[in-house]
Amino acid sequence: MAKNGKSGLRSRVPGWWQLTHYQWQWLRQDSIAGITVAAYLIPQCMAYGELAGVEPVAGLWAILPAMLIYAMFGSSLQLSLGPESTTAVMTAVAIGPLVAGGAYEAASWAAVLALFVGLVYLIAYIARLGFLADLLSKPILVGYMAGVALIMIIGQLGKVSGIPIQSESLVGEVQDFVTQFNQLHPPTFVLATAVLFFLFVIQTRFPKWPGPLIAVLLATAAVAVFQLDQQGVKVVGTIPAGLPTPLLPGFSPAKISTLLAAAVGIAVVGYSDNVLTARSFANRNGYQIDGNQELLALGIANLATGLLQGFPISSSGSRTVIGDALGSKTQVFSLVAFGVVVIVLLFLRPVLALFPTAALGAIVIFAATRLIEWAEFKRLWRFRKTEWGLAIITTLGVLGTDILLGVAVAVGLSVIDLFARIARPHDAVLGKVPGMAGLHDIADWEGTATWPGLVIYRYDAPLCFANAENFKQRVLDAIATEEPPVHWFVLNTEAIINIDITAVDMLEELRQELAKHNIQFGIARMKQDLYGQLQPTAFLKNIPPEFIFATLPTAVSAYTTQYPVSANPLDQSST
């Protein structure tokens, strides 16, 4: 019982097990990583608070429960949980139409949304739906993140230029920016441009430095020295004293359905990003993560964030990269970062209040540029044009609709792409290739030959309702291209691992049709799982046992024994 109890505690609260088995020689690296990550996240999370449509300090409030809870419940040793650009902009899109009463109402709706996102994660954890993240294929994720990045950049145009942009649509924001460019506020624009340039230089030459913190501190110093706030440069302003207190936000039941739909979209995207980032670092550093445990950690963290007046959160790739580069070993680095943020909130609020919003906007734009993976677009183009097209269509879908509908577009395109591959997969007629062992697709090699009267056919997908008729027609076409008469048709089932009732009925219809033309249906290389599915069906019962072959060579041997042709079809003289 004790052993099982320990195993259960380790699986459900892995962080506690890590702490009780902590190796103290790791403390130096975890501490350095934690302090540096904290220096990076303070201005970054404040910028994401602004991006989410709430007060910048809400970004710091949101990071506090996230770091503590993930350190206990997360399965990754290095992931940094908290405010993140994608979920921040999705939050702004979701709560924007609901907000009419200023900052307090925006904060309340954002907190409610975080609670709903947390509930979605917990329901998914109970239902063990971690596999759903796989619905977002690589091209869809690349295109989706590019669309999000462009939305982020456009959303910051007003903050970094001082131009009063009123429109709420992407096209309208760009139009306002262009048509009202004569209202550009030079001090704001110069400050934002300098911060953005500085961030790119720091990232290129000193990637381990806390660039955002250095940039925003220099910008704050510039505001103080040149009194830029008195020249119209906006600053964060007064920050509430102390730490956030738990508060159950109020909300209007009439608007619940809107937030629930948004919560599902945010949860899907947030979880996908979380798992992909966690897997990447786990593979790199030799440990494993648990997809369903990540759902639990995200669920509890979002619930706590909602109660502490934050907004929906996920993982941050940039902070995780910094921690890894500085040698983080365990989630102790998150606990160190938590302590630094608490100290800043308690004692350094006057400095935070002077942060210029133009600098925070520049940080958001900098983060957005890193979401656009130009190299991946090029790789997709070289690999397969259709995959590149999916990425482009997803980007345009996110830009042309709203970001939450873009999630549905992305998932829908992934499913369509999957069905297209299953419905119209590769197939092959197999034969002998000169000088090569085994049987191969005759379309891939010159000089291949088949056995007269024998068609060995392979279909590279599970058989189901989506491809049953396609399979049947392609089999008949393959037989029709052979020199008559065809005596045997042997289906190589090595790639068919599953089948549904529609496909079973189709196979029986095909068997009967071939039988009318005196063609014997045979099966080769059938896996045990497929055999178990076919065993109770009329189709398999109508296939004589001697026509179920364990290997392709045994099928060829049986055929050449019954029909006097050479065992090697390339030997034309003996056929």
Side-chain angles (χ1 to χ4, degrees):
M1 290 293 291
K3 183 178 179 180
N4 291 337
K6 290 180 180 178
S7 177
L9 181 65
R10 180 176 181 178
S11 64
R12 290 178 174 80
V13 194
W16 178 253
W17 186 90
Q18 293 167 11
L19 286 177
T20 57
H21 293 75
Y22 190 73
Q23 298 183 32
W24 292 103
Q25 63 265 32
W26 295 341
L27 184 59
R28 180 177 178 275
Q29 289 172 287
D30 279 338
S31 297
I32 293 173
I35 293 170
T36 306
V37 167
Y40 184 89
L41 71 83
I42 289 171
Q44 184 192 54
C45 290
M46 292 182 72
Y48 291 162
E50 183 102 356
L51 181 63
V54 296
E55 294 293 331
V57 73
L60 297 182
W61 291 348
I63 194 76
L64 294 177
M67 290 189 292
L68 280 183
I69 290 170
Y70 193 82
M72 291 293 103
F73 292 94
S75 63
S76 171
L77 300 177
Q78 297 171 288
L79 200 69
S80 178
L81 203 70
E84 180 265 336
S85 56
T86 311
T87 52
V89 71
M90 293 178 77
T91 297
V93 170
I95 68 173
L98 308 178
V99 175
Y104 176 79
E105 188 176 1
S108 181
W109 282 117
V112 171
L113 184 58
L115 293 176
F116 285 173
V117 170
L119 290 174
V120 170
Y121 280 131
L122 292 181
I123 292 171
Y125 167 73
I126 294 170
R128 303 189 67 80
L129 297 180
F131 70 91
L132 289 177
D134 297 334
L135 290 177
L136 294 176
S137 62
K138 182 67 174 181
I140 301 302
L141 284 172
V142 169
Y144 176 79
M145 296 309 295
V148 168
L150 292 174
I151 290 174
M152 290 169 61
I153 292 171
I154 293 171
Q156 300 305 305
L157 292 178
K159 294 184 178 68
V160 300
S161 65
I163 297 173
I165 295 177
Q166 304 297 328
S167 177
E168 296 182 358
S169 69
L170 289 178
V171 175
E173 288 183 76
V174 174
Q175 187 175 9
D176 284 356
F177 179 77
V178 173
T179 58
Q180 301 180 49
F181 196 76
N182 61 331
Q183 299 185 46
L184 178 78
H185 188 251
T188 298
F189 183 72
V190 169
L191 182 65
T193 303
V195 169
L196 193 58
F197 176 78
F198 179 83
L199 287 170
F200 279 114
V201 171
I202 285 289
Q203 175 63 30
T204 302
R205 303 195 61 179
F206 308 102
K208 294 184 180 181
W209 287 20
L213 179 66
I214 299 172
V216 82
L217 288 177
L218 290 175
T220 301
V223 169
V225 171
F226 299 105
Q227 297 181 334
L228 297 179
D229 53 331
Q230 297 181 21
Q231 300 179 40
V233 174
K234 295 181 179 179
V235 296
V236 170
T238 305
I239 293 176
L243 300 175
T245 55
L247 177 67
L248 188 63
F251 54 87
S252 169
K255 300 177 180 179
I256 292 300
S257 59
T258 301
L259 281 189
L260 282 176
V264 172
I266 291 172
V268 170
V269 173
Y271 178 69
S272 299
D273 186 43
N274 178 279
V275 169
L276 289 172
T277 304
R279 284 177 181 169
S280 174
F281 284 90
N283 292 336
R284 183 185 305 177
N285 293 290
Y287 60 90
Q288 293 183 332
I289 67 158
D290 183 334
N292 277 293
Q293 184 66 26
E294 292 300 294
L295 286 172
L296 177 63
L298 283 166
I300 299 174
N302 273 279
L303 286 177
T305 298
L307 292 175
L308 289 179
Q309 307 170 51
F311 53 90
I313 57 170
S314 181
S315 62
S316 168
S318 59
R319 297 194 297 269
T320 306
V321 167
I322 291 172
D324 178 67
L326 293 169
S328 63
K329 298 296 184 182
T330 69
Q331 283 295 326
V332 167
F333 92 93
S334 291
L335 300 179
V336 172
F338 171 87
V340 173
V341 174
V342 169
I343 291 172
V344 168
L345 281 172
L346 290 177
F347 303 110
L348 298 178
R349 287 182 299 105
V351 176
L352 299 182
L354 290 176
F355 280 8
T357 58
L360 298 181
I363 291 173
V364 170
I365 292 176
F366 172 72
T369 60
R370 300 174 68 185
L371 293 179
I372 303 176
E373 301 180 85
W374 299 109
E376 285 300 311
F377 277 104
K378 293 179 182 178
R379 188 167 73 96
L380 290 173
W381 175 263
R382 291 194 299 267
F383 176 72
R384 186 178 292 144
K385 302 300 185 291
T386 55
E387 303 237 3
W388 177 85
L390 280 175
I392 295 297
I393 291 172
T394 303
T395 300
L396 296 177
V398 171
L399 295 174
T401 60
D402 62 65
I403 197 167
L404 298 175
L405 186 56
V407 177
V409 170
V411 174
L413 287 174
S414 292
V415 174
I416 290 171
D417 183 44
L418 173 63
F419 267 100
R421 295 175 188 277
I422 294 176
R424 300 295 183 268
H426 177 267
D427 69 338
V429 173
L430 304 180
K432 287 290 292 183
V433 179
M436 187 178 296
L439 301 182
H440 305 275
D441 185 350
I442 62 173
D444 290 344
W445 304 90
E446 292 185 6
T448 56
T450 59
W451 290 265
L454 173 63
V455 175
I456 302 177
Y457 180 79
R458 190 186 71 217
Y459 195 73
D460 296 334
L463 284 177
C464 63
F465 68 94
N467 59 23
E469 287 304 314
N470 175 260
F471 171 88
K472 181 179 178 181
Q473 188 57 52
R474 287 162 83 170
V475 166
L476 294 175
D477 290 344
I479 292 174
T481 58
E482 290 294 309
E483 289 292 333
V486 173
H487 302 298
W488 285 15
F489 169 79
V490 176
L491 176 61
N492 176 9
T493 62
E494 62 179 309
I496 303 175
I497 58 175
N498 208 339
I499 192 168
D500 68 7
I501 193 65
T502 303
V504 170
D505 292 343
M506 176 275 301
L507 287 177
E508 177 58 17
E509 292 172 8
L510 178 62
R511 187 200 65 79
Q512 293 177 14
E513 186 169 343
L514 295 183
K516 291 177 183 179
H517 295 85
N518 297 316
I519 300 174
Q520 177 61 54
F521 199 126
I523 301 176
R525 301 197 65 179
M526 181 162 52
K527 294 182 174 64
Q528 194 63 32
D529 286 347
L530 181 61
Y531 179 80
Q533 296 172 59
L534 290 175
Q535 192 173 21
T537 67
F539 165 72
L540 195 61
K541 292 176 182 176
N542 289 323
I543 302 291
E546 62 269 24
F547 284 92
I548 300 177
F549 305 103
T551 66
L552 294 177
T554 57
V556 172
S557 177
Y559 179 78
T560 56
T561 299
Q562 183 169 344
Y563 294 92
V565 297
S566 171
N568 184 357
L570 298 172
D571 184 3
Q572 298 298 325
S573 62
S574 63
T575 60

